[in-house]
Short mmCIF file of all heavy atoms in Angstrom, two decimals:
data_model
loop_
_atom_site.label_atom_id
_atom_site.label_comp_id
_atom_site.label_asym_id
_atom_site.label_seq_id
_atom_site.Cartn_x
_atom_site.Cartn_y
_atom_site.Cartn_z
N MET A 19 83.35 -6.14 106.32
CA MET A 19 82.38 -5.78 105.26
C MET A 19 82.81 -6.47 104.00
O MET A 19 83.78 -6.03 103.37
CB MET A 19 82.13 -4.33 105.21
CG MET A 19 81.00 -4.03 104.08
SD MET A 19 80.78 -2.27 104.06
CE MET A 19 80.40 -1.89 105.64
N ILE A 20 82.24 -7.58 103.65
CA ILE A 20 82.73 -8.33 102.49
C ILE A 20 82.23 -7.66 101.21
O ILE A 20 80.97 -7.38 100.94
CB ILE A 20 82.12 -9.76 102.52
CG1 ILE A 20 82.67 -10.37 103.93
CG2 ILE A 20 82.69 -10.60 101.42
CD1 ILE A 20 82.33 -11.91 104.17
N TYR A 23 80.69 -9.37 98.04
CA TYR A 23 79.78 -9.45 98.36
C TYR A 23 80.51 -9.49 98.65
O TYR A 23 81.31 -8.50 98.12
CB TYR A 23 79.44 -9.05 99.41
CG TYR A 23 79.25 -9.05 100.88
CD1 TYR A 23 79.24 -9.38 101.81
CD2 TYR A 23 79.06 -8.93 101.60
CE1 TYR A 23 78.96 -9.35 103.07
CE2 TYR A 23 79.03 -9.06 102.84
CZ TYR A 23 78.95 -9.15 103.44
OH TYR A 23 78.94 -9.17 104.52
N MET A 272 87.41 -3.84 107.71
CA MET A 272 86.16 -4.41 108.12
C MET A 272 86.14 -5.90 107.80
O MET A 272 85.62 -6.66 108.70
CB MET A 272 84.94 -3.70 107.27
CG MET A 272 84.61 -2.39 107.74
SD MET A 272 83.60 -2.56 109.23
CE MET A 272 83.13 -0.75 109.45
N ASN A 273 86.67 -6.43 106.83
CA ASN A 273 86.74 -7.80 106.41
C ASN A 273 87.54 -8.43 107.41
O ASN A 273 87.18 -9.63 107.83
CB ASN A 273 87.29 -7.96 105.06
CG ASN A 273 86.26 -7.83 103.95
OD1 ASN A 273 85.03 -7.53 104.29
ND2 ASN A 273 86.64 -7.93 102.72
N GLY A 276 85.44 -8.53 110.58
CA GLY A 276 84.32 -9.35 110.30
C GLY A 276 84.64 -10.80 110.24
O GLY A 276 83.92 -11.73 110.81
N ILE A 279 84.67 -12.71 113.51
CA ILE A 279 83.44 -13.13 113.87
C ILE A 279 82.79 -14.34 113.14
O ILE A 279 82.32 -15.28 113.67
CB ILE A 279 82.41 -11.85 113.81
CG1 ILE A 279 82.99 -10.71 114.70
CG2 ILE A 279 81.08 -12.14 114.27
CD1 ILE A 279 82.27 -9.39 114.52
N PHE A 280 82.79 -14.07 111.78
CA PHE A 280 81.98 -15.06 110.97
C PHE A 280 82.69 -16.42 110.90
O PHE A 280 82.04 -17.36 110.49
CB PHE A 280 81.84 -14.47 109.54
CG PHE A 280 81.15 -13.00 109.57
CD1 PHE A 280 81.51 -12.09 108.65
CD2 PHE A 280 79.97 -12.85 110.32
CE1 PHE A 280 80.80 -10.88 108.76
CE2 PHE A 280 79.36 -11.77 110.38
CZ PHE A 280 79.68 -10.71 109.58
N ALA A 304 67.78 -14.68 106.42
CA ALA A 304 67.44 -13.27 106.95
C ALA A 304 68.37 -12.26 106.33
O ALA A 304 68.14 -11.10 105.95
CB ALA A 304 67.33 -13.26 108.38
N GLY A 305 69.72 -12.54 106.42
CA GLY A 305 70.69 -11.70 105.81
C GLY A 305 70.51 -11.43 104.37
O GLY A 305 70.71 -10.32 103.91
N GLY A 308 67.60 -8.88 103.96
CA GLY A 308 68.14 -7.54 104.15
C GLY A 308 68.97 -7.13 103.02
O GLY A 308 68.85 -5.82 102.60
N GLY A 309 69.85 -7.90 102.42
CA GLY A 309 70.61 -7.60 101.36
C GLY A 309 69.80 -7.22 100.04
O GLY A 309 70.13 -6.31 99.38
N CYS A 332 77.06 3.79 105.99
CA CYS A 332 76.70 2.35 106.01
C CYS A 332 77.83 1.62 106.74
O CYS A 332 77.69 0.62 107.30
CB CYS A 332 76.57 1.87 104.58
SG CYS A 332 75.05 2.16 103.83
N ALA A 333 79.10 2.14 106.63
CA ALA A 333 80.29 1.50 107.35
C ALA A 333 80.07 1.61 108.75
O ALA A 333 80.25 0.56 109.46
CB ALA A 333 81.57 2.29 106.96
N ALA A 335 77.06 1.96 110.39
CA ALA A 335 75.91 1.15 110.70
C ALA A 335 76.23 -0.34 110.68
O ALA A 335 75.69 -1.08 111.47
CB ALA A 335 74.77 1.37 109.70
N SER A 336 77.17 -0.79 109.73
CA SER A 336 77.49 -2.24 109.74
C SER A 336 78.10 -2.58 111.17
O SER A 336 77.95 -3.74 111.59
CB SER A 336 78.37 -2.49 108.63
OG SER A 336 79.66 -1.93 108.73
N SER A 337 78.91 -1.68 111.61
CA SER A 337 79.57 -2.04 112.92
C SER A 337 78.48 -2.18 114.09
O SER A 337 78.61 -3.03 114.80
CB SER A 337 80.66 -0.93 113.26
OG SER A 337 81.64 -0.79 112.32
N VAL A 338 77.56 -1.25 114.01
CA VAL A 338 76.52 -1.17 114.99
C VAL A 338 75.75 -2.51 114.97
O VAL A 338 75.41 -3.21 115.99
CB VAL A 338 75.59 0.00 114.87
CG1 VAL A 338 74.28 -0.11 115.78
CG2 VAL A 338 76.27 1.23 115.15
N PHE A 339 75.49 -3.04 113.77
CA PHE A 339 74.68 -4.25 113.68
C PHE A 339 75.50 -5.51 113.81
O PHE A 339 74.95 -6.65 113.72
CB PHE A 339 74.06 -4.33 112.25
CG PHE A 339 73.00 -3.14 112.05
CD1 PHE A 339 72.94 -2.26 110.97
CD2 PHE A 339 72.05 -3.00 113.12
CE1 PHE A 339 71.97 -1.29 110.94
CE2 PHE A 339 71.10 -1.96 113.01
CZ PHE A 339 71.07 -1.07 111.90
N LEU A 340 76.82 -5.45 114.08
CA LEU A 340 77.54 -6.63 114.54
C LEU A 340 77.45 -6.80 115.99
O LEU A 340 77.54 -8.07 116.52
CB LEU A 340 79.01 -6.34 114.28
CG LEU A 340 79.46 -6.57 112.82
CD1 LEU A 340 80.96 -6.07 112.67
CD2 LEU A 340 79.29 -7.90 112.34
N VAL A 341 76.94 -5.84 116.84
CA VAL A 341 76.89 -6.01 118.19
C VAL A 341 75.91 -7.10 118.67
O VAL A 341 76.26 -7.79 119.66
CB VAL A 341 76.35 -4.59 118.94
CG1 VAL A 341 76.21 -4.74 120.46
CG2 VAL A 341 77.52 -3.52 118.67
N VAL A 343 75.71 -9.91 117.60
CA VAL A 343 76.35 -11.21 117.59
C VAL A 343 77.05 -11.75 118.93
O VAL A 343 76.79 -12.79 119.43
CB VAL A 343 77.30 -11.38 116.45
CG1 VAL A 343 78.05 -12.78 116.40
CG2 VAL A 343 76.69 -11.03 115.09
N LEU A 360 69.11 -13.18 113.97
CA LEU A 360 68.27 -12.84 112.76
C LEU A 360 68.33 -11.23 112.58
O LEU A 360 68.38 -10.83 111.48
CB LEU A 360 66.77 -13.27 113.04
CG LEU A 360 66.51 -14.75 112.91
CD1 LEU A 360 65.07 -15.13 113.46
CD2 LEU A 360 66.72 -15.13 111.45
N LEU A 361 68.34 -10.50 113.71
CA LEU A 361 68.23 -9.05 113.74
C LEU A 361 69.61 -8.76 113.08
O LEU A 361 69.64 -7.75 112.07
CB LEU A 361 68.13 -8.52 115.03
CG LEU A 361 68.36 -6.98 115.25
CD1 LEU A 361 67.30 -6.18 114.46
CD2 LEU A 361 68.43 -6.57 116.66
N HIS A 362 70.71 -9.18 113.54
CA HIS A 362 71.97 -8.89 112.92
C HIS A 362 72.12 -9.20 111.58
O HIS A 362 72.58 -8.27 110.82
CB HIS A 362 73.11 -9.74 113.79
CG HIS A 362 74.26 -10.02 112.94
ND1 HIS A 362 75.26 -9.09 112.48
CD2 HIS A 362 74.67 -11.25 112.28
CE1 HIS A 362 76.11 -9.66 111.76
NE2 HIS A 362 75.82 -11.05 111.59
N GLU A 363 71.75 -10.39 111.02
CA GLU A 363 71.89 -10.64 109.66
C GLU A 363 71.06 -9.94 108.71
O GLU A 363 71.62 -9.41 107.73
CB GLU A 363 71.59 -12.20 109.47
CG GLU A 363 72.61 -13.14 109.88
CD GLU A 363 73.88 -13.17 109.02
OE1 GLU A 363 73.71 -12.82 107.87
OE2 GLU A 363 74.88 -13.41 109.55
N PHE A 364 69.90 -9.59 109.09
CA PHE A 364 69.02 -8.65 108.32
C PHE A 364 69.53 -7.36 108.10
O PHE A 364 69.62 -6.79 107.06
CB PHE A 364 67.54 -8.64 108.91
CG PHE A 364 66.62 -7.72 108.14
CD1 PHE A 364 65.93 -8.29 107.09
CD2 PHE A 364 66.37 -6.39 108.43
CE1 PHE A 364 65.12 -7.48 106.31
CE2 PHE A 364 65.57 -5.56 107.76
CZ PHE A 364 64.88 -6.10 106.68
N CYS A 365 69.87 -6.62 109.25
CA CYS A 365 70.42 -5.24 109.23
C CYS A 365 71.68 -5.15 108.51
O CYS A 365 71.98 -4.28 107.80
CB CYS A 365 70.30 -4.69 110.58
SG CYS A 365 68.72 -4.53 111.37
N PHE A 366 72.64 -6.09 108.86
CA PHE A 366 74.02 -6.12 108.48
C PHE A 366 73.85 -6.36 106.88
O PHE A 366 74.60 -5.57 106.12
CB PHE A 366 74.71 -7.19 109.16
CG PHE A 366 76.17 -7.14 108.71
CD1 PHE A 366 77.14 -6.28 109.37
CD2 PHE A 366 76.75 -8.05 107.81
CE1 PHE A 366 78.48 -6.26 108.97
CE2 PHE A 366 78.07 -8.06 107.44
CZ PHE A 366 78.95 -7.11 108.16
N GLY A 367 73.15 -7.28 106.48
CA GLY A 367 72.91 -7.53 105.05
C GLY A 367 72.44 -6.30 104.26
O GLY A 367 72.98 -5.97 103.14
N PHE A 368 71.54 -5.53 104.84
CA PHE A 368 71.05 -4.29 104.17
C PHE A 368 72.08 -3.29 103.94
O PHE A 368 72.26 -2.84 102.82
CB PHE A 368 69.96 -3.83 105.15
CG PHE A 368 69.26 -2.60 104.40
CD1 PHE A 368 68.05 -2.62 103.82
CD2 PHE A 368 69.83 -1.25 104.66
CE1 PHE A 368 67.41 -1.53 103.21
CE2 PHE A 368 69.21 -0.17 104.12
CZ PHE A 368 68.00 -0.37 103.36
N VAL A 369 72.80 -2.86 105.06
CA VAL A 369 73.80 -1.86 104.94
C VAL A 369 75.02 -2.17 104.10
O VAL A 369 75.65 -1.41 103.45
CB VAL A 369 74.18 -1.22 106.38
CG1 VAL A 369 72.93 -0.62 107.08
CG2 VAL A 369 74.85 -2.30 107.20
N VAL A 370 75.50 -3.47 104.17
CA VAL A 370 76.54 -3.97 103.39
C VAL A 370 76.24 -3.80 101.91
O VAL A 370 77.17 -3.52 101.03
CB VAL A 370 77.00 -5.29 103.80
CG1 VAL A 370 77.95 -5.95 102.84
CG2 VAL A 370 77.63 -5.31 105.23
N LEU A 371 75.13 -4.27 101.54
CA LEU A 371 74.72 -4.21 100.09
C LEU A 371 74.66 -2.77 99.59
O LEU A 371 75.15 -2.46 98.40
CB LEU A 371 73.49 -4.91 99.80
CG LEU A 371 73.58 -6.32 99.18
CD1 LEU A 371 74.30 -6.32 97.79
CD2 LEU A 371 74.50 -7.19 100.10
N VAL A 372 74.12 -1.88 100.30
CA VAL A 372 74.06 -0.44 99.88
C VAL A 372 75.62 0.04 99.81
O VAL A 372 75.96 0.69 98.74
CB VAL A 372 73.30 0.43 101.02
CG1 VAL A 372 73.45 1.87 100.61
CG2 VAL A 372 71.89 0.02 100.99
N SER A 432 85.70 -3.28 114.41
CA SER A 432 85.05 -2.85 113.29
C SER A 432 84.69 -1.33 113.38
O SER A 432 84.55 -0.78 112.34
CB SER A 432 83.65 -3.70 113.04
OG SER A 432 82.79 -3.39 114.06
#
Side-chain angles (χ1 to χ4, degrees):
M19 184 177 299
I20 301 178
Y23 274 3
M272 283 285 187
N273 277 359
I279 299 169
F280 299 137
C332 284
S336 69
S337 300
V338 172
F339 293 130
L340 284 173
V341 173
V343 181
L360 288 171
L361 173 66
H362 147 73
E363 284 288 330
F364 177 86
C365 297
F366 187 80
F368 182 98
V369 296
V370 166
L371 259 292
V372 175
S432 69

